[in-house]
Amino acid sequence: MRHTWRVCSMVMSAGLTLCLATACGGADQPVTDQPKKEAAPGPTTPPVPTASKSYDPPLKFGAKTSDPIAGGFSKGKWAVRLDGTTAYASSAGEVKAVGALDSKERWSIKPQGQPEQDSSYGTGPVARPTLVQIDGKAAVLAAFAVVVPGSGTTPSRAAIEITAVTAESGTRLWTATVDKPDRQSGGVVLIGSDGTTAVVRVGGSTTIGISLTTRQTVWTAKGFYGEIVDRGIVVGRGEGTKVTGLAITDGKEAWTNRESALELNSVGAGLFTANLSGISTRPQNSAALLDVSTGRPPAGMDEKALGEPTDLSCLHDQRSTIVCTADKGVFALDATTFKELWTIDRKDKSRLLPEVTTAWHGAVYAATTNGTVVLDALTGKDKATDPGLAPTEVNGYVGLSGTNPRNLNTTGEITAHPAVG
């Protein structure tokens, strides 16, 4: 099973590693159009106490919390980002903070303006919440599709409402409204930010950059389907679905890969995978591991180690290892040298092929027909059997299940399981 998300079901933002970058914006009023002000929302419940112990990495998980973090087939689609004991969750019309250890909502933000009615709600892609630093405060960015009402002979218009709120309390730092390019309709997806510029995809064919200082649109890339923000580059698909990288600050082309892609997925550590097509230098419909800075394989990597896969899914464990699933099986690469560390070959009957769900700090979480298992990311050997969960996202305090839209549970809910060992 692949844990990554296809373009048709979800957009990933910014990979698996959460980086808090410094922004220039402050709490002063934006210079762009303002929706009608309302009282700034605050926490709805007391903050959840910090867990007594963090496991690095966790090898055992307890029973799930009484309530889901988010989701459910009747409650729309959600994406979640873990940060300590808080789970930040986003949907097309709301961003909220939930205590990961008790599933209690801490705060919720919805658009101040009139939400745009979008027929793709609940089926379109949703990106994980974006965290940045603004004036020394940890903040969450949110972007919503809204309608600015008309007046007199001036018609109403489609717009994007972008807001920054404090991560701890949900208090609004600022809110601004920018027009959609060419007044087009359709949903908006906040792909990510480097702390100075927020990148938003509008509909299915335009990507824009919004300054967090002026809160105005600073660049527009028509015909560009942005998907990944990492290391100052916006990676997406441009004309002819060719894989392209744009500079996040001004939207200028940083590189173009002459190959087209059916799918892109963030790996983290400045890498992404691409399912390629229409290539003369590779077998048709092959997959590749590429550097976000160049659009080419990372320096020092022997592409033969990938086994010329037709399908490739990789994860950075946020420490030193890249773990991949491909046609040949499951294998790991050193994140610096890209040398192969170990392989569980699909043809090797001496071991069950694990279905990797995520990797974190030297641990690879997976499922087999024998149940769940944790592998050592450096050796590939079993590190723990029967951990109680094969999480799709994890940190030292908690493991989440249901964050992968390709492997939803029976209710479509995102659930939390505290780490206990």
Side-chain angles (χ1 to χ4, degrees), residues 192-203:
S193 173
D194 66 345
T196 66
T197 307
V199 181
V200 177
R201 190 177 66 245
V202 186

Side-chain angles (χ1 to χ4, degrees), residues 227-242:
E227 299 172 71
I228 299 165
V229 172
D230 196 0
R231 301 195 176 183
I233 299 292
V234 184
V235 180
R237 293 178 292 170
E239 183 179 357
T241 68
K242 286 184 171 56

Side-chain angles (χ1 to χ4, degrees), residues 140-279:
V140 180
L141 295 178
F144 305 106
V146 297
V147 175
V148 177
S151 177
T153 60
T154 302
S156 61
R157 68 184 194 275
I160 300 166
E161 180 181 303
I162 184 166
T163 188
V165 302
T166 58
E168 182 178 1
S169 68
T171 301
R172 289 183 192 265
L173 297 172
W174 51 259
T175 298
T177 304
V178 300
D179 288 341
K180 284 187 175 181
D182 300 328
R183 299 180 178 270
Q184 62 181 281
S185 59
V188 302
V189 177
L190 178 59
I191 303 169
S193 173
D194 66 345
T196 66
T197 307
V199 181
V200 177
R201 190 177 66 245
V202 186
S205 60
T206 301
T207 303
I208 66 173
I210 301 173
S211 168
L212 299 187
T213 304
T214 65
R215 297 144 211 179
Q216 293 180 322
T217 300
V218 290
W219 57 265
T220 300
K222 296 180 180 180
F224 179 74
Y225 191 95
E227 299 172 71
I228 299 165
V229 172
D230 196 0
R231 301 195 176 183
I233 299 292
V234 184
V235 180
R237 293 178 292 170
E239 183 179 357
T241 68
K242 286 184 171 56
V243 185
T244 303
L246 306 182
I248 192 173
T249 53
D250 56 16
K252 293 182 178 179
E253 186 178 292
W255 52 262
T256 296
N257 190 316
R258 62 193 180 91
E259 298 147 350
S260 299
L262 301 175
E263 180 184 3
L264 303 179
N265 284 295
S266 176
V267 174
L271 303 170
F272 69 100
T273 58
N275 282 16
L276 305 169
S277 64
I279 328 157

Side-chain angles (χ1 to χ4, degrees), residues 275-341:
N275 282 16
L276 305 169
S277 64
I279 328 157
S280 59
T281 58
R282 300 171 181 269
Q284 288 288 325
N285 300 318
S286 67
L289 180 64
L290 304 175
D291 190 320
V292 299
S293 300
T294 63
R296 297 191 296 270
M301 187 187 76
D302 182 1
E303 288 194 82
K304 293 181 180 179
L306 304 181
E308 295 186 345
T310 58
D311 202 16
L312 179 66
S313 169
C314 294
L315 286 163
H316 183 230
D317 75 343
Q318 299 184 37
R319 183 167 282 172
S320 60
T321 309
I322 306 294
V323 181
C324 298
T325 300
D327 304 54
K328 72 175 186 178
V330 177
F331 59 96
L333 305 174
D334 183 282
T336 302
T337 65
F338 298 100
K339 302 299 182 184
E340 188 172 300
L341 299 175

Side-chain angles (χ1 to χ4, degrees), residues 337-384:
T337 65
F338 298 100
K339 302 299 182 184
E340 188 172 300
L341 299 175
W342 53 266
T343 299
I344 301 177
D345 195 288
R346 192 177 298 273
K347 298 178 182 179
D348 183 2
K349 302 304 179 182
S350 66
R351 296 188 72 183
L352 296 176
L353 189 69
E355 296 182 349
V356 176
T357 57
T358 195
W360 190 73
H361 285 204
V364 181
Y365 301 89
T368 72
T369 54
N370 287 336
T372 54
V373 64
V374 183
L375 307 180
D376 188 302
L378 293 176
T379 66
K381 296 180 179 179
D382 290 3
K383 193 180 183 82

Side-chain angles (χ1 to χ4, degrees), residues 8-9 76-77 91-92 116-126 145 180 185-189 202-204:
C8 62
S9 62
K77 183 190 292 183
S91 70
E116 181 182 41
Q117 297 301 315
D118 182 7
S119 61
S120 67
Y121 177 77
T123 61
V126 176
K180 284 187 175 181
S185 59
V188 302
V189 177
V202 186

